[in-house]
């Protein structure tokens, strides 16, 4: 799926799931879900987020940028602080991972969620953290419904899993899905 579809999917997931978890959806929680829905593609140099942060928009640039920051943090702060250590390891893994591997797996999602929770639990509300994690999971569900699928059990298994009914990214099915997701957003507020 493309970034716009992930953004809409994360927004819808946040709007409909947060109330079931006991939280009120707000503009801030939707923004957190949008960010969470884009994070798994951080392993791809042409992802929306990487178009903003990467100085060199290719695999080598992605590896150098994220693993460089990770190794810098690890060397200077990581051994003293468990949160910084976790962030350092996460950045190094992102730097070296291939697209739809670590960040699109259960292990990666749990690791990213744990790092976000442990580093932000005393800074921002749980509703924002839960919304971010909802967006993160929505990304995996969205890519699970594509022809390419995801490596759900990476690094233990390299097999790609996909839903029974799939779409090809960038085909006419994706704008139709976007229109349905927009309908769900409007329906939530009406």
């Amino acid at each position: 799926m493309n970034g716009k579809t992930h953004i809409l999917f994360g927004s819808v997931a946040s709007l409909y799931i947060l109330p079931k978890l006991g939280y009120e959806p707000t503009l801030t929680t939707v923004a957190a879900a949008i960010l969470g829905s884009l994070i798994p593609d951080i392993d791809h140099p042409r992802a929306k987020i990487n178009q903003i942060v990467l100085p060199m928009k290719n695999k080598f640039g992605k590896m150098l940028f994220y693993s460089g920051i990770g190794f810098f943090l690890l060397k200077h702060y990581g051994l003293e602080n468990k949160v910084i250590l976790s962030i350092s390891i996460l950045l190094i893994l992102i730097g070296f991972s291939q697209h739809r591997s670590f960040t699109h797996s259960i292990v990666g999602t749990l690791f990213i969620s744990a790092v976000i929770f442990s580093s932000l639990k005393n800074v921002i509300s749980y509703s924002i953290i839960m919304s971010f994690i909802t967006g993160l999971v929505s990304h995996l569900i969205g890519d699970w419904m594509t022809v390419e699928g995801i490596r759900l059990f990476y690094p233990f298994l390299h097999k790609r899993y996909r839903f029974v009914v799939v779409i090809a990214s960038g085909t006419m099915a994706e704008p139709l899905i976007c229109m349905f997701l927009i309908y769900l957003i409007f329906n939530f507020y009406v």
Side-chain angles (χ1 to χ4, degrees), residues 58-77:
N58 56 34
K59 288 180 184 179
F60 179 72
K62 177 199 66 116
M63 185 207 51
L64 195 62
F65 182 78
Y66 289 111
S67 60
I69 294 171
F71 282 121
F72 175 83
L73 289 173
L74 188 62
K75 180 180 180 187
H76 295 286
Y77 309 102

Side-chain angles (χ1 to χ4, degrees), residues 150-171:
I150 57 173
R151 297 179 194 166
L152 194 58
F153 299 106
Y154 183 89
F156 307 110
L157 294 173
H158 292 273
K159 179 182 179 197
R160 290 184 184 267
Y161 293 87
R162 59 181 178 229
F163 191 60
V164 178
V165 178
V166 296
I167 65 161
S169 296
T171 62

Side-chain angles (χ1 to χ4, degrees), residues 8 26 35 44 56-57 65 67 69 75 77 94 130 132 145 149 155-156 171 179 187:
L8 289 170
T26 64
L35 180 61
H44 195 291
M56 296 184 325
K57 292 155 182 48
F65 182 78
S67 60
I69 294 171
K75 180 180 180 187
Y77 309 102
I94 288 168
M130 292 308 296
F132 176 89
M145 295 187 298
F156 307 110
T171 62
M179 288 189 318
N187 189 52

Side-chain angles (χ1 to χ4, degrees), residues 82-84 86-87 90 102 106-121 129 132-133 136:
K82 290 180 183 177
V83 172
I84 300 294
S86 299
I87 292 169
L90 179 60
F102 174 71
I106 293 173
V107 171
T109 301
L110 290 174
F111 191 67
I112 293 168
S113 298
V115 168
I116 293 297
F117 182 77
S118 64
S119 59
L120 297 177
K121 67 182 177 186
I129 294 171
F132 176 89
I133 293 169
L136 194 67

Side-chain angles (χ1 to χ4, degrees), residues 27-52:
L27 189 57
T28 308
T29 59
V30 171
I34 288 170
L35 180 61
S37 71
L38 294 174
I39 288 296
D41 277 343
I42 203 166
D43 64 2
H44 195 291
R46 289 188 311 237
K48 289 211 177 285
I49 290 175
N50 286 336
Q51 291 301 307
I52 298 167

